[in-house]
Each structure stands twice: as structure tokens, then as C-alpha cells.
Amino acid sequence: MEEKTPCLRASVAKETDLKPLAEQIFHPTGLLNQLYGFEYREQQYHYALAVCDWLTGDQPAVAMLEGETGIGKSLAYLLPLAIQLSLTGQRALISTYTVHLIQQLGRDRTLITELLSHLGLPPIVVCNRLGRAQYVSASKVLELADSTENPKERRALLQWYEKIKKSYGPHVYLNWWYENAATNMGYLKEGREIYLGLTEHCNPDDAAWYQADCEQANHADLVLTSHTVTMLATRNIALFDTGEKPFQYLIADEADRLPDAAESLTRLRSSPQRIASLCRELKDACGWPAQQINTACTALKEMQTVVDDAGGLYRDQPCLLSRDLPASLGASYTTAVKRSLAALKLLVDSIQPTIEASFTKLNTLKGFYQSLNSILTDEHQPSCLAWSPVNRIGSVAIDNPFAALAFSRWVRGIGETQPPVSVLLTSGTLGISAQQGPARFAPLRAMLGINEADLNQAACQRYAPRHYGDIRFVLAGEVARPFHGDADNEEEQATYNPQWLAFAARMLTTAMAEGPTLCLCPSFAEVAELQALFAEKTTSETATAPKAGFHLKGTRLDELIEQLQAGTITAIVTPSAWEGVSIRTKEGKQLLTNIMVTRIPIQPPSRVTENAFAARYVSSGRTTDEAKKVLYGRVRDRGLRKLRQGLIGRGIRNSQDSVTAWVADPRIGPDRRFRLQGVIPERFYPLYEQAEYFQVDGTRLQGTEKEEVIWL
């Protein structure tokens, strides 16, 4: 790629304008159509022009653009951004929740270069900036090759090792291993799962490609990164050496997952006695002196005693904020935390990058150390003591449901090196409501700490295809709720209602009779319950009936997908395909006839999260009830987003796709508690209102018939 010259950039910038150039690409007879045969998509065209307005408007500014599946939003923001960077010499970040999307965007580099050339613009440099764990350790692959007894697998591993050492490309990333090498060689079978990711303790030679990406990210015009890296950067962690050329723009795709990424960085639950065991296990590999190990274990034992004593005092509570401990016990806890922190610091600081030790164990130890440090130094990070329900062994539990507020630092500037940037938040589920404009996105904006005044009001829009796919709905009729007791406050220990389970199994059987089915469950436990029901009903008379494949914990989803493609099974029942999975034929055509959801995937917050959330609200003068109302609103929105991604996104992957959506949860319906207006695309509203209702006996009633029955 040729070096860009400032004089060329300046001359082009004076003679061209972003929006007309974007129109040349996305117009019905534009370059995408003429050069690549892409079909014109009206909403993509308008979305791209909105991105142009954001890029060239008053800076910095925040835009929120929702683009439903089918409009082609990735290219609609990627190409205008590339043109803007080429025109101005500015820099930008694109942040995503999944590495899959980063790689998808990376595959468009050639398209970017060709289109810029056709427009007479200089090229831009695009690179990735991911964490170490996304890269494969070449030396671990070599060790695996040396340890395998299968000659074919050994040859394949050695070939892959040479590839990693000599070349650069998507095969370097860890998910390539899991999607290709591991699947083909059988290394993900139960009891044989291995970790080949790069860590800071791997052979330094392994990190060549990772270091190359890091170095290029310091100078590239466009950097593709993850939400995790984006959120880590808000802590002033030196992930980017921007120097005299900071970023001017940040586009966050899958923006509704930013809170998940932020909260995952602060979540911890570990007992002091477990950390003491890890210290002993890592002693030899890390070369720690016996005296330091003994000091750390003594301090951790003291801390465990204090936590367990508190558990004895509060036997009716699963967890408790440490700040709410009685004065004497609280003082003992603080003293134990300080002693443990000081002892662990000596161990953590002496870890050398070259040591060969368990990545998971070292990460657990470091995470616990960092969490103890935050307990003492961060007043906004309340810690909890949590106890197992049976033996009351205590753990330190930390959760920060407000971690995503740190994202607003991108809007206001990070430290001295990164001034405020213009932010575009986008996804297919940016808002879950029937409202329009900025109000539709208010919940997500609030979670990210972005003030309404920061918004470019005109750049807060929703774009949806008018015609894209076809779907009909079959909803639950009058049936018992999924759990005994209060179904709105389901706990992990809740007991399933056998009547509802039988109903869900009958609905699944009926759907399977109509064709290939993907059945989405909120948990592995529910998959196991349905499998048990199916096993009970298996008789000689039903041996030839359609078969379901149940994705249980420890088994592989990809094997079930292959069986569905081959026609060996007619349904997949899984908790792991709500998003990020496209189940089609090997030729890429539609395979699924039905998408079934057993129940809305709402996971109630843990008691630790509730306590942390309430503590922040109470400290700002509000009530615990207000805190719970907001928290459960967040939980509901996350569940509805997931429901939409699964029920609609797994079935409608192409403009010609047609599926039936089956819902076994009796709380979902046009006249029920969870109404899907605002959740499902508007083009499907009439079909949703005319849904059939599946009855306990297996019959189906039209919506009008159901209303008549209720009236009678």
C-alpha cells in the first residue's frame, strides 16, 4: 500500500465533498451496483447519508442510528467513514462486541481500497487491535502436535504451526482454531478441550503478530477493535499510542452490548481460600519464595474466617454489602483485605512474562488482587460478601452495573492524549420500544452516561427495510406459567411447572412436523428438562418420527448443525444460538422452517448486582424501590433484545426467507404483559396481531377466535 502524501490529501479535500461521493457509491446505479452487482437498498442509502451528516456536522457529536437486519448498515457506515478519513487525514475506531464482526469488517478492506481508487482518493490503512487472547500461541500448537498420537492430526497441526509462524491472516485468530482446526480434529470433545490462546506468559516469539497489530494500531487511519478494548481505554490504560494524532471518530456497532462488555470487566466472585490454593498451585511455576506464599495464605485464611463469621451472623441473606457489616466485624474485614492485598502484591508484581503457568489460574489471581484494590480505593465500587446456600462458605463478590457509564469519557475526552471524539452508536436493536427519535434510545444512552445535550437530535433515527423476509406467529394459548410461584421473580432454584413443560414439548413436536426447527431456551437446564420429556415419550410407534438434537452442557453445537443440515435430526434445542449463529444449508440457502422460543430470556439480576445497584442509588438520595425499578427495566430490555435477536434474527437472514415463529411463553402476546410492538420489526406487526394461539391439546386458534372466546 502506497504512502499517503499530505499535499494529495489537501488537494482532494478542497475539490470534493463527502455526501456526493457517498451518493456515487450507494445510489441505485452507484458503484456498489455497477462494480459489484450489489442490489440497491433504499434504507441503506438513507442510512449512509445520515452517517455523512454526522461525520461532517458540528463536532464532537453523538449520533444513534438503528439499522435493522437487511439494510446493510455495516457498509453504510464503513464506506462513508473511509472516504472521510481519506479526505481529511483523520483517524477513527470501529468497536464491536463480537470478533466475528471485526473479521467481517476486515474482509471489506479490499472493497474500501478499490472504491477509494475509483473515486480518485488516496487509500487508508486499516488494522485490527484485539486482546492477546484472540491470537493463537504457535508454541502451544507445536506442543499439541508433539503430544498427539494421530499421524493425520499431527501433520495438520504442524502445517498450521508453520502457517502461523510464516504468514499473517484470519487463521492467526483463536476463533479460527475453534471453527476449523479443533472442529475437524475433534479437540473439543468432552474432557479434551484445550486453550491455545496467546497470554503474556507465552513464548515471546509467539506474540509477533499481536505486537505487529498493536504497533500498526498506533498509526493506522482506521482501527477495528472490540468493546472490551474500547472500555479498557476509558481507564487510561495505554492501549493506543496516539501521539500527535488522536482519534476523531468512534463507531460502536452492536452498541447495545457495550454495557455487557463493561460489566464483565468488573465482575468477580471468589473465596479467599480458593485464592490461597491457587497461590500454592502456582508456587513452583512462578518461583515464589515459600515465605511469601505462607504470608499470603495466612492473610487469606484470616480473611476467609471474617467472611464466614459474617455468614453465620446473616444466615437469612445470600449476600451483604461489606459496608453494612457491624463496626467491629467491618474493621476486621478491612484489616484482612489490606493484609491480603499487601501479601498478594508481592506475588503479582514478581510474575515474569516468560513463566509457563495456567492462564486461567493466573488471571483468577490477578483479578482477585485487582478487586481487593478497588475495594479500598474506589468508593463507587461496592463489594459484597456472598455465601453458598448450603455450607455457607463465603466469597468476595463484586459487580458494577454502572461500569458502562465510563463510555462517556470518549465523548468528553480521556486523559491528556485523547480529546473528545464524535460517537456513532448503532445496532439492529439499539432501542426496544415503539417510540421514535431520541426517546427510543434513551435507556441505552443513560446506561452509557451520555447526556441528552450531547446528542445530534437529527442523527437519532431508525432505518428498517419495508420488505425483507416473511414471518408468521404461533403464540401460547391459555396455559400455566413456566415456573411454580411468581414467574416474574424466577430464581435459578425455581421448579418448572410440568404442565408448561409438556405444553412446550408438544409445541416443539408440532413445529418439527412442519420442518427443520431451531428451538431456543434460556438455559441448559431447560434443554435437559425437554430432553427428559422427549425420552419418556420415545416408543416403537414414534421411532420414525422427526428427531430433535439437544445441546447439553459440554456438547458441541456445530455437530448438531451438521446433523440438521444432513437431515439426521429435524430440530436443535439449544441455549447458545440466540445470536451470532447463522444456520443455513451448506450452500448458504434457507434451512430453517421454524424458530421456537420456549420463554422470554430474562435472567433476573443476582443479589450482588441488586445490592450494588441499590447502594449507588441510595448514596445519591434515591430509594431502594426506585433502584429496583430501574434495574429490572434494564433486565427486561436485555431480555427483549435477546428475544428479538433469536426469534427474528436467526430466522430472517435473507430477503426471501420465510419462517414461522413459535413462542411457548404465555406472557408474550399483543394483549399480554410482554407485547412485542417495538421488539419485532414494524413490517411484521399485522402478522403478529393475527397470530395463531397454540392450545394445550395441540389445536390452534386464530387471534380473532381467541378474542371471541375471551369475550364469551
Side-chain angles (χ1 to χ4, degrees):
M1 195 169 288
E2 296 180 359
E3 181 75 13
K4 302 182 291 286
T5 60
C7 60
L8 178 59
R9 284 185 180 277
S11 63
V12 172
K14 290 178 181 177
E15 298 171 8
T16 58
D17 183 62
L18 176 60
K19 187 174 284 189
L21 290 171
E23 287 180 334
Q24 289 186 45
I25 294 175
F26 294 100
H27 191 269
T29 57
L31 294 176
L32 284 179
N33 176 267
Q34 292 180 1
L35 298 178
Y36 305 99
F38 289 7
E39 65 176 348
Y40 168 70
R41 301 182 184 183
E42 180 184 5
Q43 296 300 320
Q44 182 186 53
Y45 173 77
H46 291 297
Y47 182 105
L49 296 186
V51 173
C52 293
D53 290 336
W54 164 70
L55 288 167
T56 57
D58 293 336
Q59 305 294 335
V62 177
M64 302 185 77
L65 301 178
E66 184 174 52
E68 286 189 7
T69 299
I71 73 162
K73 71 175 180 298
S74 297
L75 286 182
Y77 65 68
L78 180 61
L79 296 180
L81 177 63
I83 296 172
Q84 178 73 354
L85 300 183
S86 180
L87 288 172
T88 63
Q90 295 174 316
R91 303 184 68 210
L93 278 169
I94 294 180
S95 174
T96 75
Y97 185 69
T98 59
V99 175
H100 174 77
L101 181 53
I102 292 175
Q103 293 183 305
Q104 176 185 316
L105 294 170
R107 287 192 288 270
D108 291 323
R109 296 182 198 191
T110 301
L111 179 64
I112 292 172
T113 301
E114 292 176 354
L115 287 174
L116 290 178
S117 176
H118 277 282
L119 295 172
L121 300 176
I124 64 170
V125 177
V126 183
C127 81
N128 293 355
R129 175 61 171 95
L130 304 175
R132 289 175 181 268
Q134 297 301 331
Y135 295 78
V136 173
S137 165
S139 60
K140 288 184 179 179
V141 175
L142 185 59
E143 290 175 6
L144 186 60
D146 291 338
S147 66
T148 184
E149 297 179 359
N150 185 313
K152 183 179 178 180
E153 290 183 359
R154 176 180 170 78
R155 285 194 299 272
L157 287 166
L158 289 175
Q159 289 173 0
W160 194 38
Y161 167 76
E162 293 298 329
K163 244 184 171 183
I164 297 171
K165 294 292 289 185
K166 295 179 180 178
S167 61
Y168 179 66
H171 60 268
V172 173
Y173 298 116
L174 188 61
N175 71 324
W176 188 94
W177 160 262
Y178 287 118
E179 293 171 2
N180 295 275
T183 298
N184 295 336
M185 298 177 197
Y187 275 103
L188 292 185
K189 292 179 181 176
E190 188 172 4
R192 229 191 146 186
E193 185 168 347
I194 55 175
Y195 182 78
L196 293 180
L198 186 68
T199 74
E200 59 186 292
H201 309 292
C202 286
N203 187 322
D205 292 341
D206 289 354
W209 299 125
Y210 166 72
Q211 291 170 352
D213 274 359
C214 291
E215 177 60 28
Q216 192 175 30
N218 292 332
H219 311 287
D221 302 293
L222 177 57
V223 179
L224 309 178
T225 191
S226 67
H227 287 345
T228 299
V229 171
T230 301
M231 295 307 307
L232 284 172
T234 64
R235 303 182 181 183
N236 281 320
I237 298 174
L239 298 173
F240 302 102
D241 182 11
T242 54
E244 298 179 357
K245 198 175 179 182
F247 297 105
Q248 280 78 32
Y249 306 102
L250 167 59
I251 295 179
D253 200 345
E254 302 174 308
D256 48 298
R257 303 304 301 273
L258 277 164
D260 297 303
E263 291 166 24
S264 68
L265 293 172
T266 60
R267 191 170 293 123
L268 166 92
R269 179 163 179 168
S270 190
S271 66
Q273 70 179 26
R274 170 59 179 150
I275 301 303
S277 297
L278 286 182
C279 290
R280 296 189 187 96
E281 292 171 20
L282 293 167
K283 174 181 177 295
D284 293 336
C286 296
W288 289 327
Q291 184 176 353
Q292 289 185 3
I293 294 291
N294 292 336
T295 301
C297 290
T298 299
L300 290 166
K301 182 179 180 181
E302 175 188 343
M303 187 175 176
Q304 184 71 57
T305 299
V306 175
V307 175
D308 290 343
D309 287 347
L313 283 176
Y314 298 92
R315 296 199 64 85
D316 59 331
Q317 298 188 34
C319 70
L320 180 75
L321 281 169
S322 56
R323 66 177 63 168
D324 291 339
L325 290 171
S328 59
L329 196 57
S332 298
Y333 177 68
T334 301
T335 300
V337 168
K338 289 179 178 179
R339 289 179 179 172
S340 297
L341 186 62
L344 291 175
K345 186 176 189 304
L346 296 175
L347 302 180
V348 171
D349 287 350
S350 65
I351 296 175
Q352 299 299 318
T354 56
I355 72 165
E356 286 295 332
S358 166
F359 169 75
T360 302
K361 291 177 181 178
L362 280 173
N363 261 13
T364 301
L365 175 62
K366 289 181 179 179
F368 188 81
Y369 168 76
Q370 292 164 357
S371 297
L372 291 189
N373 191 50
S374 70
I375 289 174
L376 295 179
T377 59
D378 187 352
E379 63 182 41
H380 296 300
Q381 176 69 82
S383 68
C384 284
L385 307 183
W387 299 281
S388 55
V390 179
N391 52 24
R392 303 296 288 175
I393 293 177
S395 297
V396 177
I398 289 181
D399 199 356
N400 184 0
F402 298 94
L405 292 173
F407 181 81
S408 63
R409 293 174 187 165
W410 283 102
V411 179
R412 316 199 195 295
I414 303 172
E416 299 178 356
T417 59
Q418 178 56 63
V421 302
S422 287
V423 172
L424 168 61
L425 302 172
T426 189
S427 81
T429 52
L430 205 61
I432 299 294
S433 83
Q435 293 181 294
Q436 299 299 318
R440 177 177 176 82
F441 314 123
L444 179 62
R445 174 183 60 76
M447 279 193 285
L448 299 179
I450 298 173
N451 298 325
E452 189 173 0
D454 297 323
L455 295 179
N456 178 340
Q457 299 285 327
C460 294
Q461 301 294 334
R462 178 169 172 254
Y463 297 87
R466 295 178 182 176
H467 305 285
Y468 193 87
D470 183 52
I471 190 169
R472 67 187 181 98
F473 295 87
V474 179
L475 307 180
E478 300 302 322
V479 64
R481 287 189 169 190
F483 290 93
H484 288 298
D486 185 358
D488 296 331
N489 291 292
E490 296 156 4
E491 298 287 346
E492 291 182 1
Q493 297 83 7
T495 304
Y496 281 97
N497 189 322
Q499 293 178 331
W500 176 81
L501 279 173
F503 171 82
R506 172 167 283 188
M507 177 181 278
L508 175 57
T509 302
T510 305
M512 291 167 60
E514 297 189 5
T517 301
L518 174 65
C519 178
L520 298 168
C521 300
S523 67
F524 282 110
E526 193 159 294
V527 174
E529 293 279 356
L530 288 172
Q531 184 192 41
L533 272 181
F534 268 68
E536 290 175 6
K537 294 181 179 180
T538 300
T539 64
S540 58
E541 289 78 18
T542 61
T544 59
K547 296 180 180 179
F550 295 89
H551 182 204
L552 303 173
K553 189 175 293 186
T555 62
R556 291 165 47 192
L557 177 61
D558 61 326
E559 285 188 346
L560 294 176
I561 293 175
E562 290 175 1
Q563 292 176 37
L564 190 68
Q565 291 171 330
T568 309
I569 59 175
T570 310
I572 296 175
V573 186
T574 176
S576 303
W578 291 89
E579 58 185 336
V581 176
S582 181
I583 301 176
R584 304 183 74 80
T585 67
K586 291 185 180 295
E587 294 75 30
K589 297 180 180 180
Q590 183 178 14
L591 172 62
L592 296 170
T593 302
N594 308 288
I595 303 291
M596 176 177 163
V597 168
T598 55
R599 58 189 173 92
I600 188 169
I602 290 181
Q603 297 295 329
S606 69
R607 295 295 179 89
V608 175
T609 302
E610 280 192 7
N611 280 357
F613 204 93
R616 177 74 71 90
Y617 260 63
V618 170
S619 66
S620 61
R622 288 176 282 184
T623 67
T624 301
D625 287 341
E626 288 177 308
K628 286 187 176 182
K629 182 178 179 180
V630 174
L631 177 59
Y632 276 83
R634 288 189 181 187
V635 169
R636 177 204 62 217
D637 285 354
R638 286 183 178 179
L640 291 175
R641 281 193 176 93
K642 191 172 182 179
L643 176 68
R644 173 169 172 169
Q645 289 162 347
L647 194 64
I648 309 299
R650 296 319 97 206
I652 307 298
R653 309 292 293 175
N654 183 281
S655 61
Q656 303 304 314
D657 287 348
S658 176
V659 298
T660 299
W662 304 71
V663 181
D665 192 328
R667 296 170 296 176
I668 294 176
D671 58 350
R672 293 172 176 171
R673 181 180 176 193
F674 292 105
R675 299 169 177 84
L676 298 189
Q677 283 88 349
V679 177
I680 63 171
E682 289 181 1
R683 63 187 181 276
F684 298 138
Y685 280 5
L687 295 168
Y688 174 60
E689 294 287 347
Q690 298 167 16
E692 293 181 304
Y693 287 85
F694 191 83
Q695 306 302 308
V696 173
D697 61 3
T699 60
R700 280 181 261 182
L701 298 177
Q702 288 291 337
T704 53
E705 295 180 70
K706 178 178 182 293
E707 291 173 2
E708 188 175 327
V709 170
I710 291 176
W711 181 79
L712 290 173

